[in-house]
Amino acid sequence: MIYNPSCSQEQLEKKFKKLRKLNYNAFRWWRMYDDPKPLLPKQSPLLDKIKNGDFNYSHYNYQAMWCEHEMNKVHDKFGFEDMGRYVAETSLLRSRRKRLLEDHYKEEDNRLESITIELSKAFRITKDKVKTLMEEFDGTLEELYIHLQQKYPYNKFYLPKSLKHLQSRYD
């Protein structure tokens, strides 16, 4: 085997059942599935976005693993004896995998940056503090939100009436 994906094909098929199969698109031909749930608008409360799955793990990595399984099947068929045939047979799969991984890394970076910004705005703490808390916290994103809500209750949504006049200084 050339590739060693972390998920089996059965596990990937279960994950793909939750996704929507895409029709062929000439501009994004490498994508096979998409998330059926749309992202919530920016004005939505952060907890609702978290519950909706707006910051969940990107499904593009699972699609790349599927390509790795397919390339392993081609390798089992031809082996190292006919490497030229293997390269010819897997050229499309290798291109698809490369683009899916690029999409995965781009989307993961965007999601991590946006959740960091959202949490820092919601709880009035620095982005560096949020990153440190995210690294140290052992739990789900929803549990992190609840933990931060208990630890930093004096944000703009939970500011006591006696301190409302201070809010304008920070807006």
Side-chain angles (χ1 to χ4, degrees), residues 153-168:
Y154 298 110
N155 65 32
K156 73 176 184 179
F157 300 111
Y158 301 101
L159 202 60
K161 289 182 180 179
S162 61
L163 299 175
K164 285 283 186 188
H165 66 282
L166 297 176
Q167 182 176 357
S168 61

Side-chain angles (χ1 to χ4, degrees), residues 29-30 67 71 87-97:
W29 57 268
W30 59 92
C67 292
M71 288 187 281
V87 169
E89 294 282 330
T90 61
S91 65
L92 186 65
L93 287 169
R94 285 183 286 118
S95 297
R96 173 174 275 155
R97 177 183 173 271

Side-chain angles (χ1 to χ4, degrees), residues 16 19-35 58-64 66-67 92-93 95-107 110-111:
F16 292 155
L19 301 174
R20 177 183 51 191
K21 181 116 173 100
L22 292 176
N23 295 328
Y24 177 76
N25 181 344
F27 301 106
R28 299 219 170 146
W29 57 268
W30 59 92
R31 295 181 180 182
M32 300 174 283
Y33 295 94
D34 195 17
D35 198 357
S58 172
H59 56 84
Y60 296 123
N61 193 36
Y62 299 127
Q63 295 179 52
W66 181 263
C67 292
L92 186 65
L93 287 169
S95 297
R96 173 174 275 155
R97 177 183 173 271
K98 177 183 167 244
R99 290 177 185 233
L100 285 167
L101 287 175
E102 287 172 356
D103 288 349
H104 168 72
Y105 295 134
K106 182 179 177 184
E107 189 167 304
N110 288 342
R111 287 181 180 186

Side-chain angles (χ1 to χ4, degrees), residues 15 27 74 81 99 109 120 143 162 168:
K15 292 187 185 297
F27 301 106
V74 174
E81 292 80 31
R99 290 177 185 233
D109 287 344
S120 68
E143 292 169 348
S162 61
S168 61

Side-chain angles (χ1 to χ4, degrees), residues 78-137:
F78 298 113
F80 287 111
E81 292 80 31
D82 197 358
M83 204 56 164
R85 182 92 187 257
Y86 170 79
V87 169
E89 294 282 330
T90 61
S91 65
L92 186 65
L93 287 169
R94 285 183 286 118
S95 297
R96 173 174 275 155
R97 177 183 173 271
K98 177 183 167 244
R99 290 177 185 233
L100 285 167
L101 287 175
E102 287 172 356
D103 288 349
H104 168 72
Y105 295 134
K106 182 179 177 184
E107 189 167 304
E108 284 297 306
D109 287 344
N110 288 342
R111 287 181 180 186
L112 185 61
E113 183 66 24
S114 63
I115 190 63
T116 305
I117 291 170
E118 294 274 343
L119 287 172
S120 68
K121 284 181 183 176
F123 297 107
R124 302 286 181 160
I125 54 178
T126 64
K127 287 190 224 176
D128 293 332
K129 181 73 173 170
V130 170
K131 288 179 183 178
T132 304
L133 290 167
M134 288 170 69
E135 289 172 0
E136 294 171 354
F137 190 78

